[in-house]
Amino acid sequence: MSRQPDPFVVHRGLLFTVAYEMLGSAADAEDVVQETWLRWADVDAGLRVTVGDPRAYLVRIVTRLALNRLRTLARRREEYVGSWLPEPLLTSPDVAEDVELAESVSVALLTVLETLKPVERAVFVLREVFVTPYEEIARALGKTPVSVRQTAKRAREHVAARRPRMRVDRAEQRLVVERFLAAMGNGDLRALMDVLAPDVVVVADGGGVVPTTRHPVVGAQEAATYLIAAVQWAGERFSTGTVWVNGAPAARIEVDVTTVLSFAIEGGRISRIYAVRNPEKLAWLDAEVVLER
């Protein structure tokens, strides 16, 4: 008789994705997944057989652990120097083919999720991304299904009012990113402004570790000027390349430190630029991860 694969191994990609979407940190998500494994390993083999739905059981564990971690991280993020952005993840182009998965792990959405309360974020991720039944979410969070439904409604409305509308063909998105990089690399202010939305916002995350603007830069003129100035300062040290980050085309810039630029693109123009420069948040950039729904 062939041995059945361990459910934890089968669903590891899913568990990491749930934890990452709840925490916005690959390092913290991996810690939560490892703790989930320890909890699962402690379950007696005989009791494991009685677990009717191992996937739901494991998601329940990872949700509770991630929620606990999110609460402990809240104060640290309140004290964070400058803007806080999620850790970018190197993903394969295949992730982009699953449009719903790509949107759910986009830096744009994860940044919006950061404005939710911990329980609201957990409910939104489980319900809107993974289509988890309300009853199962209630069991995971120790809430009633009625309470979960109310929380889901609040979270959904909150996110809908703030998330960029990013229904863009990936090929078009890549073309826009390439135009952006060409204009930026050439120091062409006019061409750069043409690819930016009039009300574009640039948010940079240096964590107080490396130099960067601590406040959002708003407007095409202001953003283009800021970006061109950064290129001129870097001089010959400036180099760029396109990478797939969080299910979408992004830019990797090498100067004194690595910088990853992720984008929200609406109507053929860039409406948001998320620049992560904090080295502590780029540790996973060279490790392609498996994301699953």
Side-chain angles (χ1 to χ4, degrees):
M1 181 181 295
S2 62
R3 184 178 180 182
Q4 295 295 318
D6 189 293
F8 177 86
V9 176
V10 173
H11 300 300
R12 196 185 194 288
L14 167 69
L15 300 177
F16 179 87
T17 307
V18 171
Y20 175 67
E21 292 194 23
M22 285 185 60
L23 298 168
S25 164
D28 287 312
E30 182 61 23
D31 287 346
V32 165
V33 170
Q34 290 299 321
E35 192 171 349
T36 299
W37 160 245
L38 294 176
R39 298 285 183 93
W40 175 249
D42 281 344
V43 177
D44 182 84
L47 292 177
R48 286 191 190 183
V49 177
T50 66
V51 176
D53 187 346
R55 180 184 185 276
Y57 184 85
L58 288 166
V59 168
R60 196 181 310 159
I61 296 175
V62 83
T63 298
R64 290 173 178 169
L65 293 175
L67 187 56
N68 290 339
R69 178 68 63 97
L70 192 59
R71 286 166 172 156
T72 61
L73 291 174
R75 179 171 297 243
R76 188 193 310 173
R77 293 184 182 178
E78 288 176 0
E79 299 170 350
Y80 195 77
V81 178
S83 300
W84 188 96
L85 291 174
E87 293 179 14
L89 290 180
L90 184 68
T91 54
S92 70
D94 293 344
V95 174
E97 295 179 6
D98 186 335
V99 176
E100 291 184 358
L101 175 60
E103 282 201 8
S104 72
V105 297
S106 69
V107 174
L109 179 58
L110 292 175
T111 302
V112 173
L113 294 186
E114 192 65 21
T115 63
L116 290 171
K117 296 177 181 178
V119 171
E120 290 176 337
R121 184 166 185 169
V123 170
F124 182 89
V125 168
L126 292 175
R127 181 61 189 173
E128 300 302 315
V129 179
F130 298 98
V131 200
T132 306
Y134 289 112
E135 292 74 14
E136 177 57 34
I137 299 175
R139 284 193 290 270
L141 301 180
K143 306 285 185 181
T144 66
V146 172
S147 173
V148 168
R149 285 179 182 274
Q150 294 172 340
T151 301
K153 183 176 183 294
R154 287 197 308 272
R156 190 163 51 245
E157 292 173 348
H158 179 97
V159 172
R162 292 164 176 79
R163 72 188 300 177
R165 302 294 181 261
M166 294 179 58
R167 291 285 183 181
V168 181
D169 177 81
R170 294 303 174 189
E172 179 187 352
Q173 194 168 16
R174 185 162 191 169
L175 180 60
V176 171
V177 172
E178 290 173 350
R179 287 178 54 209
F180 167 86
L181 289 178
M184 190 173 168
N186 292 331
D188 190 333
L189 183 65
R190 174 47 56 189
L192 188 55
M193 288 182 62
D194 286 343
V195 80
L196 300 176
D199 57 350
V200 64
V201 178
V202 180
V203 181
D205 179 345
V209 180
V210 296
T212 192
T213 178
R214 295 188 180 182
H215 304 285
V217 179
V218 182
Q221 177 75 50
E222 293 77 5
T225 301
Y226 168 74
L227 294 167
I228 293 295
V231 174
Q232 292 174 340
W233 171 81
E236 294 183 356
R237 295 174 299 155
F238 180 84
S239 65
T240 66
T242 56
V243 290
W244 287 89
V245 168
N246 290 63
R252 178 170 181 164
I253 297 176
E254 302 291 347
V255 189
D256 50 342
V257 297
T258 299
T259 301
V260 173
L261 302 183
S262 299
F263 307 92
I265 297 174
E266 304 175 64
R269 287 186 168 187
I270 296 171
S271 60
R272 296 286 188 280
I273 299 176
Y274 307 95
V276 178
R277 286 177 53 78
N278 186 347
E280 297 175 2
K281 292 191 173 185
L282 299 174
W284 283 69
L285 193 58
D286 294 315
E288 189 173 302
V289 299
V290 176
L291 298 174
E292 297 178 2
R293 283 195 303 138

